[in-house]
């Protein structure tokens, strides 16, 4: 889709002297609406997202319920605004901590393979997509297995990794759905289905 809303988990710890010493999670979920224009370059897509995230600072202390009330959305026992949430974690202080005290963080994979595990969590979204670069970078995906299969989620991971490759390797090239597809999927959709 070229027009979508995703929830973004943001950190709202008080800024100021000794703000880092206050106990509490200081997290908030804020809806981010993104409209992607046609013929956008990968680098321009990143700048578009950066502008959106900068605009969030005006609203990051509003609760999701307050935002829903303001825009007229009704809460019917689920998240009233978005079905997908994105979390990006970078605890840069982790790099200064003695890792032997913490143990290993994240799944232990020695290659670039995708790791998808189905676990039971209660969440108010259908897909929770988390990127953590505090230690060894890894993805965590929580999803409703009644709506998505492991295969579908692995394909989403592939899209994300291909997006990262496109942005880092060819930032001036035109962004497109077909570019982030695996070559087998692109072959099937563009050639086999069109036959």
């Amino acid at each position: 889709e070229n027009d979508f809303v995703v929830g973004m988990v943001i950190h709202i710890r008080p800024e100021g002297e000794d703000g880092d010493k206050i106990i509490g999670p200081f997290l908030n979920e804020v809806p981010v609406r993104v409209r992607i224009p046609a013929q956008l370059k990968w680098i321009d897509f990143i700048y578009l997202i950066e502008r959106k995230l900068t605009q969030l600072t005006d609203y990051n202390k509003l609760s999701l319920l307050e935002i829903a009330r303001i825009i007229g959305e009704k809460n019917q026992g689920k998240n009233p605004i978005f079905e997908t949430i994105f979390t990006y974690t970078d605890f840069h202080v982790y790099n200064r901590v003695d890792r032997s005290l913490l143990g290993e963080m994240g799944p232990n994979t020695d290659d670039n393979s995708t790791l998808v595990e189905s676990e039971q969590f209660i969440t108010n979204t259908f897909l929770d997509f988390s990127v953590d670069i505090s230690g060894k970078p890894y993805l965590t995906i929580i999803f409703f297995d009644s709506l998505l299969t492991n295969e579908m989620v692995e394909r989403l991971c592939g899209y994300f990794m291909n997006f990262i490759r496109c942005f880092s390797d060819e930032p001036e090239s035109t962004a497109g759905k077909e570019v982030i597809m695996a070559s087998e999927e692109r072959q099937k959709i563009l050639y086999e289905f069109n036959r």
Side-chain angles (χ1 to χ4, degrees):
E1 295 181 19
N2 294 331
D3 185 352
F4 58 90
V5 178
V6 65
M8 180 81 179
V9 176
I10 57 172
H11 185 265
I12 56 170
R13 180 172 293 279
E15 294 180 18
E17 192 172 332
D18 294 334
D20 59 334
K21 295 178 181 172
I22 301 172
I23 297 174
F26 298 103
L27 299 175
N28 194 15
E29 293 178 353
V30 179
V32 181
R33 183 175 187 182
V34 179
R35 293 179 182 152
I36 305 172
Q39 300 302 310
L40 191 69
K41 294 178 183 177
W42 290 111
I43 188 75
D44 295 329
F45 178 74
I46 294 296
Y47 286 135
L48 173 86
I49 299 300
E50 182 183 38
R51 283 191 302 276
K52 285 284 182 184
L53 296 179
T54 302
Q55 293 169 354
L56 280 181
T57 57
D58 294 338
Y59 308 101
N60 63 7
K61 295 204 169 122
L62 287 174
S63 72
L64 188 57
L65 293 176
E66 288 175 283
I67 294 171
R69 183 184 53 75
I70 291 168
I71 65 174
E73 288 288 334
K74 304 284 188 246
N75 184 357
Q76 299 173 355
K78 62 179 182 99
N79 189 311
I81 303 172
F82 49 83
E83 297 172 338
T84 303
I85 196 162
F86 180 81
T87 307
Y88 174 81
T89 306
D90 178 10
F91 290 119
H92 53 278
V93 295
Y94 175 76
N95 294 324
R96 296 190 305 251
V97 173
D98 182 355
R99 293 171 198 244
S100 65
L101 300 174
L102 298 176
E104 281 297 315
M105 287 186 65
N108 184 14
T109 57
D110 295 328
D111 57 12
N112 291 329
S113 64
T114 304
L115 177 64
V116 176
E117 293 184 24
S118 180
E119 295 188 35
Q120 297 298 319
F121 290 96
I122 296 175
T123 179
N124 64 352
T125 53
F126 296 136
L127 179 68
D128 294 9
F129 192 92
S130 300
V131 176
D132 189 329
I133 65 163
S134 299
K136 180 178 178 180
Y138 67 97
L139 302 175
T140 303
I141 299 175
I142 303 170
F143 60 96
F144 272 69
D145 56 8
S146 60
L147 297 173
L148 298 169
T149 64
N150 281 4
E151 180 183 305
M152 295 164 93
V153 172
E154 286 178 6
R155 195 165 59 231
L156 290 173
C157 289
Y159 294 158
F160 182 72
M161 296 309 295
N162 286 340
F163 163 79
I164 298 294
R165 283 187 199 101
C166 288
F167 170 68
S168 62
D169 296 347
E170 301 177 40
E172 294 294 328
S173 65
T174 302
K177 299 171 193 171
E178 67 283 347
V179 182
I180 63 171
M181 287 185 221
S183 56
E184 309 83 44
E185 184 179 13
R186 191 178 319 115
Q187 175 75 21
K188 184 180 284 187
I189 290 174
L190 295 179
Y191 301 103
E192 291 177 31
F193 288 169
N194 277 335
R195 209 179 301 139

